[in-house]
Amino acid sequence: QVQLVESGGGLVQAGGSLRLSCAASRRTGSTSIMGWFRQGPGKEREFVAATTWSGGIAYYADSVKGRFTLSIDIVRNTVYLQMNSLRPEDTAVYYCAAARSAQPMGNINAYGNWGQGTQVTVSS
């Protein structure tokens, strides 16, 4: 089982930025797709963004396009989610997840490895 550890969450004012990190214990075929999901208070878990370790493909939810950006550090087995222009509605627990394959990449059921989550709170 691949371990995923998120970090970087916190409290920020609206319009601010945060960078989340997801460190994978190793890269295998079961972690070909790396995704970020979030679950706000009283809401279902939803897709945020996903990419591959090659970094050649990135897919974003419409709600974060133009504000959030994924990046990869192959040496550190780490995926980053840069979040800019944060809004109160971005408040949620953010989870990193890995899948062998996902079609579409936002298909939550395809992800079998999950991190413990990191809290992001955006104040108005």
Side-chain angles (χ1 to χ4, degrees):
Q1 186 80 355
V2 176
Q3 305 300 315
L4 303 175
V5 180
E6 303 100 329
S7 61
L11 173 64
V12 64
Q13 289 188 331
S17 299
L18 283 174
R19 189 178 76 158
L20 304 183
S21 301
C22 173
S25 56
R26 56 196 174 97
R27 285 184 288 119
T28 71
S30 67
T31 63
S32 297
I33 310 295
M34 297 297 294
W36 285 95
F37 293 79
R38 67 186 182 186
Q39 188 165 15
K43 298 181 181 179
E44 293 189 353
R45 194 169 297 188
E46 65 176 2
F47 171 74
V48 175
T51 188
T52 60
W53 283 112
S54 66
I57 300 173
Y59 181 58
Y60 298 91
D62 288 342
S63 59
V64 307
K65 277 181 184 175
R67 300 188 299 124
F68 292 11
T69 305
L70 288 163
S71 60
I72 299 283
D73 185 333
I74 288 289
V75 174
R76 292 179 172 81
N77 288 347
T78 300
V79 178
Y80 301 99
L81 182 67
Q82 178 67 43
M83 306 187 296
N84 298 329
S85 302
L86 283 163
R87 305 166 180 168
E89 54 263 40
D90 293 318
T91 294
V93 177
Y94 283 70
Y95 297 91
C96 176
R100 180 176 297 276
S101 65
Q103 189 60 251
M105 293 179 77
N107 179 10
I108 191 172
N109 295 316
Y111 292 81
N113 281 316
W114 291 83
Q116 82 288 351
T118 185
Q119 177 71 47
V120 171
T121 303
V122 184
S123 62
S124 57

